[in-house]
Amino acid sequence: MSDLDPAPDTIDVAPVGHPRPQLRIIEAREVPLGGVRAMTVSRTIPERTLPTVGAWCFADEAGPAPHLTRVLPHPHIGLQTVSWLLAGSIRHRDTVGSDVIVRPGQLNLMTSGAGIAHSEFTPGDDPEPVHLLQLWIALPEHARHGAPAFEQHVDLPVAQGAGWTATVLIGSFAGVTSPATAYTPLVGAEIVVGPGEGVSLPLQPGFEHAVLVPRGSATLEGDELASGPLAYLGAGRDRVELVAGDAGATLLLIGGEPLQEELVMWWNFVGRDHDEIVAARDAWEQHSTRFGEVAGHDGARIPAPPLPGVRLAPRRRR
Ligand code: MN
């Protein structure tokens, strides 16, 4: 998914001080995606008080709704995109030659390194019900200038406990590690909890964590969560307890070691300063080999929006 907002917010991320256990509900903003096939997505991070959770720096939820996805080629730098479907299918094509369809239970993980471009389409010509979580992971300094890559994982490892089953997308959860390539200590896991079940999920105290509930509902320390908001748990917890609603709950748990690098995010780019963002934007607009071309689109692509009239400057986590 591309950030199609014609005037995207400038989000600057400063290192976190000393995160601690807490519970903070980050309400989702409805972000309209442009074009004739308009739909909205629910975005939780980055948020002005919570730019990142570990290295996770962006979380969108689209659907569930019938939709004909036609996201033309667009660029990324400095990040990995994690695409995880609860319903529907998406055809992914990119500038490293990938052309794959992703379905529920499968992970698409795209690593931009210094630059990649990709498109995302509904495989057929008609709308189909789709429910997509798309998240970005910021690459650390040692990995963000590297070569682009794409991997799809169709057989992810599973962890189980009393009342819950977890599919480990990336990183480690409950002693189970995903084969997906990660560059910082983190976790991304889909956790299914049965109807009415009360569960205690193991966490890593050195990580900060957050939970989305894309399907069903769950009560967590008095807050009822369903599709939309993100529950930020802070760091320093070794467990989190929650109770699924009558229809059960499907959670997405994300977390990681608090990021110690300053990020500047604008449009589809994660960099470290204003000039890097400008250089990436120019490279895309000039059809530079930094990004290349996605085959199959006859050169059609999403143009970069105009830069804001001010230099992209740091904004601290509050
Ligand atoms: Mn994208």
Side-chain angles (χ1 to χ4, degrees):
M1 196 69 71
S2 172
D3 183 352
L4 298 179
D5 187 337
D9 283 345
T10 302
I11 305 288
D12 301 279
V13 181
V16 66
H18 299 282
R20 58 198 184 281
Q22 55 181 289
L23 177 64
R24 185 149 40 112
I25 306 299
I26 304 294
E27 297 296 336
R29 292 105 65 205
E30 298 300 312
V31 179
L33 300 188
V36 291
R37 301 172 191 90
M39 73 179 303
T40 61
V41 298
S42 296
R43 182 167 303 161
T44 46
I45 58 168
E47 197 258 356
R48 75 188 163 78
T49 65
L50 187 69
T52 50
V53 178
W56 299 88
C57 62
F58 185 96
D60 267 2
E61 181 178 353
H67 188 62
L68 183 67
T69 301
R70 290 286 185 268
V71 180
L72 285 168
H74 58 278
H76 290 287
I77 69 165
L79 56 78
Q80 294 178 292
T81 64
V82 169
S83 300
W84 183 253
L85 286 163
L86 282 82
S89 57
I90 298 283
R91 180 182 181 186
H92 163 96
R93 284 170 280 182
D94 64 33
T95 47
V96 295
S98 313
D99 184 353
V100 299
I101 292 175
V102 63
R103 298 184 170 82
Q106 307 174 345
L107 172 70
N108 269 14
L109 178 67
M110 184 177 77
T111 302
S112 75
I116 197 169
H118 71 137
S119 66
E120 294 154 293
F121 275 50
T122 302
D125 294 326
D126 299 312
E128 64 167 282
V130 66
H131 191 180
L132 171 68
L133 297 170
Q134 189 165 83
L135 299 99
W136 298 352
I137 300 166
L139 288 171
E141 185 61 34
H142 71 86
R144 71 191 188 93
H145 304 291
F150 175 82
E151 55 198 82
Q152 185 177 61
H153 296 275
V154 300
D155 190 17
L156 290 162
V158 170
Q160 285 189 298
W164 57 267
T165 300
T167 302
V168 184
L169 280 57
I170 188 165
S172 298
F173 179 72
V176 173
T177 299
S178 167
T181 304
Y183 293 91
T184 50
L186 51 70
V187 58
E190 183 194 74
I191 303 169
V192 177
V193 183
E197 292 271 11
V199 298
S200 177
L201 303 173
L203 301 179
Q204 299 202 46
F207 285 9
E208 54 180 344
H209 291 91
V211 172
L212 292 161
V213 187
R215 179 178 287 155
S217 63
T219 301
L220 197 166
E221 295 173 5
D223 275 294
E224 182 162 336
L225 299 168
S227 178
L230 174 141
Y232 176 64
L233 305 175
R237 296 174 181 259
D238 60 9
R239 311 204 69 85
V240 64
E241 293 174 4
L242 54 87
V243 180
D246 293 340
T250 299
L251 321 172
L252 186 75
L253 173 73
I254 61 173
E257 287 186 357
L259 203 63
Q260 298 299 330
E261 295 184 50
E262 290 204 358
L263 307 182
V264 177
M265 294 177 62
W266 179 80
W267 193 39
N268 295 311
F269 302 142
V270 177
R272 297 296 183 275
D273 62 37
H274 178 90
D275 294 339
E276 283 184 9
I277 300 292
V278 172
R281 183 186 183 281
D282 287 348
W284 178 245
E285 292 301 283
Q286 292 163 9
H287 294 243
S288 154
T289 55
R290 176 171 177 181
F291 295 106
E293 295 288 331
V294 184
H297 296 287
D298 295 325
R301 56 192 354 226
I302 299 176
L307 284 160
V310 296
R311 283 185 69 83
L312 309 176
R315 187 166 77 182
R316 304 262 157 191
R317 184 192 289 228
R318 285 177 266 187

